[in-house]
Amino acid sequence: MSITGAGAPRGAFQIGEGRLAAALCALFGLLSLMGVLAFRFPALLTTPHLRATYDPDHLRILMAAGLIVCAGCGAFALYKRASLALAFLGLAAAAACLALGGPAVAIGELKPTPFYIGLDWFVIGLLTTGGAFVLIEKLAPLRREQPVLREDWTLDLKHFFMFHRLIGFYLFAGNYIVHEWFSWMIIPGVGGAVRELPFLVQFLLILVAVDFAQYWVHRLYHSPGFFWRVHSVHHSAEHMDWLASSRLNVIEPLITRTLGLLAIAVCGFDQGPINAYILFIGFHATFIHANCGIEFAALERFFVTPKHHHWHHAKDEEAINKNFAVHLSIFDRIFGTYYLPKAWPEAYGVVGEAPPKSLARQQLHPFA
């Protein structure tokens, strides 16, 4: 394993100027407001599976800490007269949070609803995933000169927000499609035999089954026409980091997640290995897009790594339509789409006409 990267560290902010404080004020103010709304309307704004894994008292402590950070950063930004719009936004969101009950707010009624908006998924995901990967990208960067808030980061943050809110819709739609349209593919007796296998064996089989399906749908996305217009939104990112993994057209995760659910349903895996796989892909899908210069030597011949996936996003002619695997690069080796030179790519993005840089227009791009 090795780490690459060159150049002197450089960020978008200067310590003491106040712009970073204003951005943090807005971030923690808005997250605190979202948190109190999730407490008041848990049936609509929280994710059932995620809700069962966290302690609300811990989240109250985090909310209180976030409000303190928001107030301190906001005061400093106002003193420095830096990014005043962001500072006022954060302070206004914090005031609204306190008006709705703040950390002491009571948990609302949990009425069953067919749909839910994963606001808690977004807040916790941004704090944990964002915090962890910003640290990874600073400790082992591929491009040291790339700041955390690089060009187009606000567009990708909008994608991150949108898709975390849609998690309930995707699960509902995927389960409906699998069990209403493809129930004939579920063979009785297979699930019972599969569930008798050891936990680790089931987990590895999920990787193989889901990635085999994803490999071929990924190749379909790169065929000319409608599917490429859907997928080109993801490839339009010109900077690779943890946030770039969220740039997607709304159709793509619906198709991809439904195929994954179908592969799992056909094989009938136990819930434990499925949960482990969900945790794994949550980290891995972000990691392979990260601005991370770690190389994994011989493992890259079998598993998808940041270097392998960065080449999938590269603009180099030799890399076009290569490295379709999402988890297991062995599929690229088997089907002749493996490409991994010694160097890292220099440029990313769409060759030719790229989708517009607007969240709404990127969602409409396949139909343009």
Side-chain angles (χ1 to χ4, degrees), residues 249-321:
N249 181 273
V250 69
I251 297 172
E252 182 169 347
L254 177 61
I255 297 174
T256 305
R257 288 171 187 253
T258 301
L259 277 176
L261 287 172
L262 179 60
I264 290 172
V266 168
C267 297
F269 295 104
D270 202 5
Q271 192 61 46
I274 294 174
N275 291 338
Y277 172 73
I278 292 172
L279 291 175
F280 169 78
I281 61 171
F283 173 85
H284 185 253
T286 307
F287 179 59
I288 60 177
H289 290 86
N291 178 33
C292 178
I294 299 176
E295 298 186 13
F296 292 85
L299 284 177
E300 293 175 333
R301 297 171 63 85
F302 305 97
F303 298 97
V304 175
T305 63
K307 187 176 182 181
H308 177 278
H309 198 66
H310 276 226
W311 273 111
H312 176 71
H313 281 261
K315 297 181 76 170
D316 300 56
E317 184 177 352
E318 298 82 359
I320 301 298
N321 293 335

Side-chain angles (χ1 to χ4, degrees), residues 3-350:
I3 298 176
T4 62
R10 186 181 72 217
F13 298 107
Q14 298 296 323
I15 299 299
E17 68 177 355
R19 289 193 303 130
L20 177 58
L24 291 175
C25 173
L27 173 65
F28 284 101
L30 290 171
L31 289 180
S32 298
L33 178 58
M34 292 177 196
V36 79
L37 289 173
F39 269 115
R40 292 181 69 92
F41 308 102
L44 178 63
L45 299 180
T46 63
T47 311
H49 294 299
L50 181 62
R51 189 168 61 225
T53 64
Y54 54 72
D55 185 342
D57 290 334
H58 293 163
L59 297 185
R60 295 181 191 277
I61 295 173
L62 285 176
M63 187 188 300
L67 289 170
I68 293 172
V69 172
C70 174
C73 289
F76 183 74
L78 293 178
Y79 170 72
K80 288 289 186 176
R81 296 183 178 275
S83 300
L84 294 180
L86 282 178
F88 281 121
L89 173 63
L91 293 172
C97 171
L98 291 172
L100 291 170
V105 65
I107 299 177
E109 187 176 358
L110 283 170
K111 294 180 179 179
T113 57
F115 299 104
Y116 55 86
I117 301 170
L119 205 57
D120 58 340
W121 187 270
F122 168 74
V123 174
I124 295 174
L126 184 61
L127 290 174
T128 57
T129 305
F133 277 98
V134 167
L135 181 62
I136 289 173
E137 291 180 347
K138 288 302 179 183
L139 291 176
L142 171 63
R143 292 176 171 82
R144 294 183 182 274
E145 73 280 2
Q146 181 171 302
V148 174
L149 303 184
R150 42 75 179 168
E151 185 181 353
D152 293 338
W153 72 272
T154 54
L155 172 60
D156 292 331
L157 184 62
K158 292 174 185 177
H159 280 275
F160 186 90
F161 179 61
M162 181 177 69
F163 287 109
H164 278 70
R165 287 186 301 163
L166 289 175
I167 184 68
F169 166 74
Y170 286 129
L171 287 173
F172 176 85
N175 277 303
Y176 178 85
I177 292 171
V178 167
H179 292 96
E180 294 296 326
W181 298 359
F182 297 101
S183 59
W184 55 272
M185 296 182 64
I186 302 175
I187 304 173
V190 172
V194 169
R195 286 190 290 272
E196 292 294 324
L197 297 172
F199 180 97
L200 181 59
V201 174
Q202 289 192 54
F203 174 77
L204 294 175
L205 286 176
I206 293 175
L207 280 183
V208 173
V210 174
D211 205 29
F212 181 77
Q214 289 181 334
Y215 174 89
W216 289 106
V217 76
H218 200 171
R219 289 191 69 158
L220 176 64
Y221 280 135
H222 280 256
S223 59
F226 176 78
F227 287 102
W228 169 244
R229 292 198 299 274
V230 169
H231 190 55
S232 66
V233 171
H234 182 58
H235 276 267
S236 67
E238 297 177 345
H239 300 84
M240 294 291 282
D241 64 3
W242 71 275
L243 201 52
S245 62
S246 300
R247 188 182 296 198
L248 296 164
N249 181 273
V250 69
I251 297 172
E252 182 169 347
L254 177 61
I255 297 174
T256 305
R257 288 171 187 253
T258 301
L259 277 176
L261 287 172
L262 179 60
I264 290 172
V266 168
C267 297
F269 295 104
D270 202 5
Q271 192 61 46
I274 294 174
N275 291 338
Y277 172 73
I278 292 172
L279 291 175
F280 169 78
I281 61 171
F283 173 85
H284 185 253
T286 307
F287 179 59
I288 60 177
H289 290 86
N291 178 33
C292 178
I294 299 176
E295 298 186 13
F296 292 85
L299 284 177
E300 293 175 333
R301 297 171 63 85
F302 305 97
F303 298 97
V304 175
T305 63
K307 187 176 182 181
H308 177 278
H309 198 66
H310 276 226
W311 273 111
H312 176 71
H313 281 261
K315 297 181 76 170
D316 300 56
E317 184 177 352
E318 298 82 359
I320 301 298
N321 293 335
K322 300 291 185 181
N323 296 357
F324 293 113
V326 178
H327 303 315
L328 304 172
S329 59
I330 188 68
F331 285 128
D332 285 305
R333 291 169 56 78
I334 292 172
F335 299 115
T337 53
Y338 184 80
Y339 182 74
L340 196 68
K342 291 183 179 181
W344 289 72
E346 294 294 331
Y348 309 101
V350 175

